[in-house]
């Protein structure tokens, strides 16, 4: 029996309901067989008047078989290309049936799922927020290889189609309808298949309804072909604009642009081959394997609860107390209220707490201005936030998030003063970015309920939360923090206690290495630009300016007071730089009047001449590649050390945390996945070269040699 249920009604309409083995429909060997058999049968069907393509799953169709794609290696290109062209051919036969073919989209139709829909004559979707439509393959280092590029360009025109292809935009049915990606929506699932059948009956005798636009005589692509004057001008500048965005590090957008341009230039079937060649090239690249591994498999693993204690019941947070209404506290209050959680926002005065609440007002007003929020909803959200200066108001909170300044004495003082007002079992989360949780928990009467909940700034935009377990943190506290992170729509990683944990500790190596290169004599602008060249959002000096040199000075003092200076190696260059910049010249960073850069009124920046005068040595000889590798390898090595010492509990936590929390280059798939595709032996060798030239901080961690010896990679 086929996994595609085939049912012909009295009107001659065949409904094909996809119900494949497993939780979702996907493009795999089972699909290939079922679709081939179904099309063979449809082509032979007598009295056929139309076809409805439906799904028995919650999602319409999930897309390609990513596990299979990961197995494709260099040398497999010809076989892969042939398989891809066979897949396209099946969809081509579907759209060339002599009757109207309608897709009844009941759930998400993304990637290959939407490509199937594009091969139908008419597309009807259930108008619900759970239904997402689009071609997000670019986010996995791929291109839509089932005809998606060619059909989108042919249907919408090159200029209109490009954002959906190049950015991987996912849209609701209403937006898809407005864009011309689907033809109609229905308001209930019960209406979906009946409406599809009704449409087919309405088209009786209408030959246009049986023929795709690109198969009609005299067809012209909307907006003109690639050679039209307007598009020719756009396409001339497109590669340069793309290079500025990807810095040449992500091949998928380049291949998509090429396939889309050719789709607007060549005959339909020829363009399909270009698209197939593009996918065949991409599927063997390390970038695709990195992105698929991390952003699909490992992300789903973490969001699915892999790091959560299995034997603890799910715990919804109903009332959260946030201590400190500054930059972090106000953001945490906003995301909590947006999730429907009652918030007690406490500061040293009601005025300070009210100021923190005003941040939510600003964000909600901005959303109203963009048509994404109503005044009624705004009032409802703000009603959940209570500003206060009284500990008494914290009674009844089932979770506390302390978000005060990074000072252990201040944090301990607040813990002791506040705990008497809390109920038994209330979990205390400290939003510290560096201070050891076990040490902070010493001020608590219930260290089992004490946990680190490290947010990233700005809280409303950054998708990650780093949860840190102290030596006595209970599974119940971990489950509470994890469930809260998911409740406020964040991705949680779970790590063990350490000074700086994982993200802050690793992040610091990036600007530390940048500073070392400058102190050695490298041009600071060159060092900063090479940081961007490896794919970091900004250069090491720029990011240090943003996070504040003054903050580094204060953190160093705190660590010295705690007796943990240089816990992870000497920082002589950074100490020297902080002394020169902050103490001697009062340059504490961008928000302190300037740091490595002067920040001008017109929003431009220029390197501070004093930095160049002090350190730049035009005779200092170092290659661009060495600087780039130093900046990248320092962070990778620190991540490996965190895994080696069990600060990182899993490889997935390291990869997702490095990209979403630290800003690691996307093309790497995260710092641990980078080692896999760079090659473990090659990585070990390069570490040795860097260590010989620049110091023992580049010594390859023993865990790499252990993996090589066992024939394993970081999974």
């Amino acid at each position: 029996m086929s996994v595609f249920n085939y049912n012909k009604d009295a009107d001659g309409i065949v409904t094909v309901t996809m119900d494949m083995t497993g939780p979702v429909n996907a493009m795999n060997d089972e699909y290939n067989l079922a679709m081939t058999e179904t099309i063979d049968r449809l082509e032979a069907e007598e009295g056929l008047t139309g076809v409805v393509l439906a799904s028995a799953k919650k999602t319409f169709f999930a897309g390609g078989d990513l596990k299979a794609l990961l197995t494709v290696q260099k040398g497999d290109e010809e076989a892969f290309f042939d398989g891809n062209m066979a897949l396209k051919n099946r969809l081509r036969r579907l759209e060339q049936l002599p009757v109207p073919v309608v897709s009844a989209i009941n759930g998400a139709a993304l990637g290959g799922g939407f490509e199937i829909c594009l091969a139908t004559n008419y597309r009807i979707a259930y108008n619900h927020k759970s239904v997402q439509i689009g071609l997000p393959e670019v986010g996995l280092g791929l291109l839509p290889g089932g005809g998606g590029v060619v059909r989108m360009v042919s249907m919408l025109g090159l200029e209109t189609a490009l954002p959906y292809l190049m950015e991987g935009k996912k849209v609701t049915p209403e937006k898809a309808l407005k864009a011309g990606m689907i033809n109609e929506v229905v308001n209930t699932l019960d209406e979906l298949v009946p409406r599809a059948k009704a449409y087919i009956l309405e088209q009786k005798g209408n030959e246009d309804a049986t023929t795709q636009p690109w198969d009609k005589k005299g067809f012209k692509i909307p907006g003109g072909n690639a050679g039209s004057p307007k598009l020719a001008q756009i396409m001339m500048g497109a590669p340069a604009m793309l290079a500025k965005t990807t810095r040449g590090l992500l091949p998928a957008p380049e291949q998509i642009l090429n396939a889309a341009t050719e789709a607007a230039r060549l005959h339909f079937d020829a363009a399909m081959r270009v698209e197939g060649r593009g996918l065949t090239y991409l599927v063997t690249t390390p970038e695709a394997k990195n992105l698929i591994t991390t952003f699909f498999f490992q992300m789903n693993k973490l969001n699915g609860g892999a790091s959560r204690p299995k034997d603890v019941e799910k715990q919804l947070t109903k009332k959260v107390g946030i201590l400190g209404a500054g930059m972090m506290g106000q953001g945490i209050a906003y995301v909590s209220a947006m999730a429907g959680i009652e918030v007690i926002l406490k500061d040293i005065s009601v005025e300070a707490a009210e100021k923190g609440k005003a941040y939510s007002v600003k964000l909600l007003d901005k959303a109203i201005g963009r048509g994404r929020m109503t005044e009624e909803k705004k009032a409802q959200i703000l009603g959940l936030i209570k500003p206060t200066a009284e500990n008494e108001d914290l009674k009844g909170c089932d979770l506390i998030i302390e978000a005060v300044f990074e000072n252990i004495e201040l944090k301990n003082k607040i813990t002791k003063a506040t705990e008497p007002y809390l109920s038994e079992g209330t979990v205390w989360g400290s939003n510290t970015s560096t201070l050891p949780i076990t040490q902070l928990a010493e001020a608590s009467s219930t260290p089992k309920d004490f946990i680190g909940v490290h947010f990233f700034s700005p809280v409303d935009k950054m998708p990650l939360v780093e949860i840190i377990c102290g030596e006595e943190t209970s599974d119940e506290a971990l489950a509470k923090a994890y469930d809260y992170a998911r409740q406020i729509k964040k991705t949680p990683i779970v790590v063990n206690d350490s000074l700086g944990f994982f993200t802050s500790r690793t992040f610091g190596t990036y600007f530390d290495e940048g500073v070392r290169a400058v102190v050695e004599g490298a041009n600071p602008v060159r060092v900063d630009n090479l940081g961007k060249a490896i794919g970091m959002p900004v250069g090491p000096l720029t990011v240090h300016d943003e996070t504040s040199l003054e903050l580094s000075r204060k953190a160093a003092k705190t660590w010295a007071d705690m007796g943990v200076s240089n816990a992870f190696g000497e920082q002589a260059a950074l100490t020297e730089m902080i002394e020169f910049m902050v103490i001697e010249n009062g340059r504490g960073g961008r928000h302190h009047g300037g740091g490595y850069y002067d920040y001008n009124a017109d929003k431009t920046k220029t390197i501070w001449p004093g930095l160049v005068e002090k350190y730049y040595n035009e005779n200092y000889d170092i290659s661009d590649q060495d600087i780039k590798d130093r900046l990248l390898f320092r962070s990778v090595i620190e991540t490996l050390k965190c895994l080696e010492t069990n600060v990182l509990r899993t490889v997935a936590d390291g990869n997702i945390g490095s990209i979403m929390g630290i800003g690691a280059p996307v093309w790497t798939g995260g710092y641990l996945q980078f080692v896999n595709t760079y090659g473990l032996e090659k990585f070990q060798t390069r570490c040795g070269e860097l260590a010989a030239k620049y110091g023992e901080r580049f010594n390859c961690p023993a865990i790499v040699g252990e993996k090589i010896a066992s024939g394993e990679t970081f999974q």
Side-chain angles (χ1 to χ4, degrees):
M1 182 178 174
S2 175
V3 292
F4 281 17
N5 300 321
Y6 188 103
N7 183 270
K8 185 179 180 183
D9 68 12
D11 293 313
I13 299 172
V14 170
T15 301
V16 177
T17 306
M18 299 179 288
D19 190 11
M20 296 175 64
T21 305
V24 296
N25 299 312
M27 284 180 175
N28 52 27
D29 289 342
E30 185 180 61
Y31 161 83
N32 292 338
L33 178 62
M35 184 60 93
T36 300
E37 289 176 346
T38 299
I39 294 172
D40 287 345
R41 190 171 173 185
L42 287 169
E43 288 174 338
E45 187 71 57
E46 292 186 8
L48 183 68
T49 59
V51 178
V52 176
L53 200 58
S55 170
K57 309 293 188 183
K58 285 187 178 179
T59 57
F60 176 77
F61 199 98
D65 183 348
L66 295 175
K67 280 187 179 177
L69 290 180
L70 284 178
T71 67
V72 182
Q73 301 297 325
K74 298 284 185 186
D76 298 337
E77 288 90 347
E78 187 175 348
F80 180 84
F81 177 76
D82 290 345
N84 178 250
M85 293 310 295
L87 182 147
K88 293 177 192 288
N89 181 55
R90 282 187 287 273
L91 294 180
R92 195 78 176 106
R93 287 168 64 194
L94 179 70
E95 71 181 350
Q96 290 184 327
L97 288 170
V99 295
V101 181
V102 182
S103 43
I105 307 168
N106 65 309
L110 297 170
F114 187 54
E115 289 182 291
I116 292 172
C117 298
L118 288 171
T120 63
N121 305 107
Y122 200 77
R123 293 164 290 281
I124 306 175
Y126 169 40
N127 192 18
H128 190 268
K129 63 182 180 182
S130 65
V131 179
Q132 287 190 308
I133 293 168
L135 298 167
E137 285 89 341
V138 66
L140 297 176
L142 303 170
L143 62 71
V149 175
V150 178
R151 287 190 177 91
M152 281 286 280
V153 171
S154 299
M155 185 171 71
L156 302 181
L158 181 59
E159 190 175 3
T160 305
L162 277 177
Y164 296 98
L165 299 169
M166 303 276 284
E167 299 167 23
K169 287 171 69 174
K170 295 180 273 193
V171 294
T172 60
E174 282 187 351
K175 289 184 178 177
L177 179 64
K178 189 175 180 182
M181 295 164 69
I182 62 174
N183 305 95
E184 193 176 329
V185 295
V186 295
N187 292 320
T188 67
L189 281 172
D190 290 340
E191 297 174 78
L192 192 55
V193 172
R195 176 57 202 142
K197 288 185 174 184
Y199 170 80
I200 289 169
L201 293 174
E202 291 165 8
Q203 305 311 312
K204 192 173 181 180
N206 179 9
E207 196 175 321
D208 262 6
T210 71
T211 311
Q212 294 283 51
W214 41 88
D215 288 326
K216 292 174 184 174
K217 191 175 180 181
F219 167 72
K220 290 184 178 178
I221 290 177
N225 63 26
S228 66
K230 181 186 175 185
L231 285 183
Q233 191 172 0
I234 291 172
M235 297 318 297
M236 277 179 64
M241 288 178 65
L242 180 61
K244 189 176 179 182
T245 304
T246 67
R247 301 173 199 162
L249 298 169
L250 293 168
E254 296 175 5
Q255 290 294 325
I256 290 172
L257 180 61
N258 177 62
T261 305
E262 294 305 308
R265 179 178 288 134
L266 301 174
H267 180 270
F268 186 90
D269 291 325
M272 283 287 205
R273 293 184 68 82
V274 172
E275 179 190 280
R277 290 290 178 203
L279 180 62
T280 301
Y281 166 74
L282 289 171
V283 79
T284 64
T285 61
E287 291 84 359
K289 296 191 186 304
N290 290 344
L291 296 180
I292 292 169
T293 298
T294 301
F295 286 107
F296 187 80
F297 291 109
Q298 293 182 353
M299 180 75 83
N300 287 344
K301 182 179 176 183
L302 293 187
N303 284 335
S307 303
R308 186 191 187 279
K310 301 291 182 285
D311 56 351
V312 181
E313 285 188 20
K314 188 172 182 180
Q315 308 174 58
L316 281 181
T317 294
K318 296 176 182 176
K319 184 178 181 182
V320 61
I322 298 169
L323 311 182
M327 180 175 69
M328 299 304 293
Q330 64 190 13
I332 299 167
Y334 170 77
V335 296
S336 298
M338 286 292 286
I341 301 169
E342 184 183 352
V343 176
I344 304 299
L345 183 58
K346 181 183 177 297
D347 212 304
I348 54 173
S349 68
V350 174
E351 291 75 21
E354 287 281 6
K355 187 177 178 183
K357 182 176 179 177
Y359 180 74
S360 290
V361 176
K362 184 179 80 171
L363 292 180
L364 292 169
D365 283 342
K366 191 179 289 186
I368 289 171
R370 292 173 177 170
R372 297 175 183 170
M373 176 70 59
T374 63
E375 288 288 351
E376 183 183 9
K377 183 68 175 172
K378 170 189 167 185
Q380 184 184 336
I381 292 164
L382 291 176
L384 291 170
I385 305 174
K386 179 181 179 179
T388 185
E390 303 300 324
N391 284 333
E392 190 81 20
D393 289 326
L394 297 171
K395 287 182 176 179
C397 289
D398 49 318
L399 177 66
I400 296 292
I401 302 290
E402 167 270 301
V404 301
F405 180 68
E406 199 78 339
N407 178 285
I408 197 164
E409 290 179 1
L410 174 62
K411 288 178 182 287
N412 288 348
K413 180 181 174 184
I414 287 172
T415 301
K416 290 174 180 175
T418 308
E419 272 195 341
Y421 296 89
L422 306 181
S423 306
E424 184 180 348
T426 297
V427 171
W428 184 287
S430 177
N431 176 48
T432 175
S433 57
T434 60
L435 302 176
I437 295 303
T438 302
Q439 203 166 337
L440 287 173
E442 290 173 1
S444 172
S445 59
T446 55
K448 69 181 179 63
D449 297 326
F450 203 102
I451 195 165
V453 185
H454 176 203
F455 287 85
F456 297 81
S457 182
V459 177
D460 52 288
K461 292 180 181 176
M462 295 295 280
L464 190 78
V465 169
E466 182 180 29
I467 298 172
I468 308 101
C469 294
E471 287 178 9
E472 296 186 54
T473 301
S474 67
D475 280 354
E476 287 74 18
L478 171 54
K480 180 72 172 180
Y482 183 97
D483 292 343
Y484 168 67
R486 296 300 296 140
Q487 198 175 342
I488 59 173
K489 297 180 171 60
K490 303 292 185 186
T491 293
I493 63 168
V494 180
V495 304
N496 290 324
D497 201 13
S498 164
L499 185 67
F501 321 128
F502 164 57
T503 56
S504 296
R505 171 178 162 181
T506 305
F507 174 68
T509 62
Y510 176 55
F511 60 75
D512 177 82
E513 196 58 38
V515 165
R516 286 175 187 268
V518 172
V519 169
E520 289 166 13
N523 187 309
V525 174
R526 179 188 177 205
V527 171
D528 227 25
N529 287 338
L530 289 172
K532 290 172 67 177
I534 63 173
M536 293 295 284
V538 294
L541 304 183
T542 296
V543 81
H544 201 195
D545 258 3
E546 293 289 342
T547 56
S548 164
L549 283 77
E550 171 62 14
L551 188 62
S552 291
R553 185 193 68 78
K554 288 179 178 177
K557 183 179 184 305
T558 298
W559 288 18
D561 292 344
M562 292 169 63
V564 293
S565 295
N566 299 326
F568 306 115
E570 60 81 18
Q571 292 186 304
L574 185 61
T575 302
E576 177 187 328
M577 184 64 79
I578 296 296
E579 176 74 22
F580 171 68
M581 295 292 291
V582 182
I583 307 300
E584 295 178 20
N585 290 284
R587 299 188 67 83
R590 180 173 184 173
H591 303 292
H592 296 271
Y596 300 112
Y597 287 92
D598 286 320
Y599 295 88
N600 308 313
D602 61 0
K603 296 188 177 179
T604 60
K605 64 179 183 180
T606 49
I607 200 73
W608 177 51
L611 179 67
V612 178
E613 185 180 330
K614 170 76 173 174
Y615 288 112
Y616 176 51
N617 177 1
E618 63 181 17
N619 296 317
Y620 177 62
D621 184 26
I622 184 172
S623 69
D624 284 356
Q625 192 59 52
D626 272 11
I627 294 177
K628 289 196 290 185
D629 282 353
R630 284 174 60 176
L631 294 173
L632 179 57
F633 274 57
R634 270 297 302 283
S635 297
V636 174
I637 288 168
E638 201 65 35
T639 303
L640 287 162
K641 288 178 180 177
C642 287
L643 185 67
E644 192 173 53
T645 56
N646 203 35
V647 172
L648 278 172
R649 294 180 166 200
T650 70
V651 170
D653 287 318
N655 285 330
I656 295 296
S658 60
I659 288 181
M660 295 174 69
I662 301 171
V666 171
W667 62 269
T668 64
Y671 287 140
L672 296 172
Q673 178 60 23
F674 164 76
V675 182
N676 290 339
T677 48
Y678 188 87
L680 274 69
E681 292 90 347
K682 182 181 172 188
F683 179 81
Q684 190 180 54
T685 300
R686 184 57 175 149
C687 283
E689 293 169 353
L690 292 171
K693 289 175 77 172
Y694 304 108
E696 63 182 18
R697 65 189 180 279
F698 289 106
N699 286 341
C700 189
I703 193 172
V704 176
E706 292 165 10
K707 292 289 184 184
I708 292 170
S710 64
E712 297 176 311
T713 55
F714 293 99
Q715 301 298 328

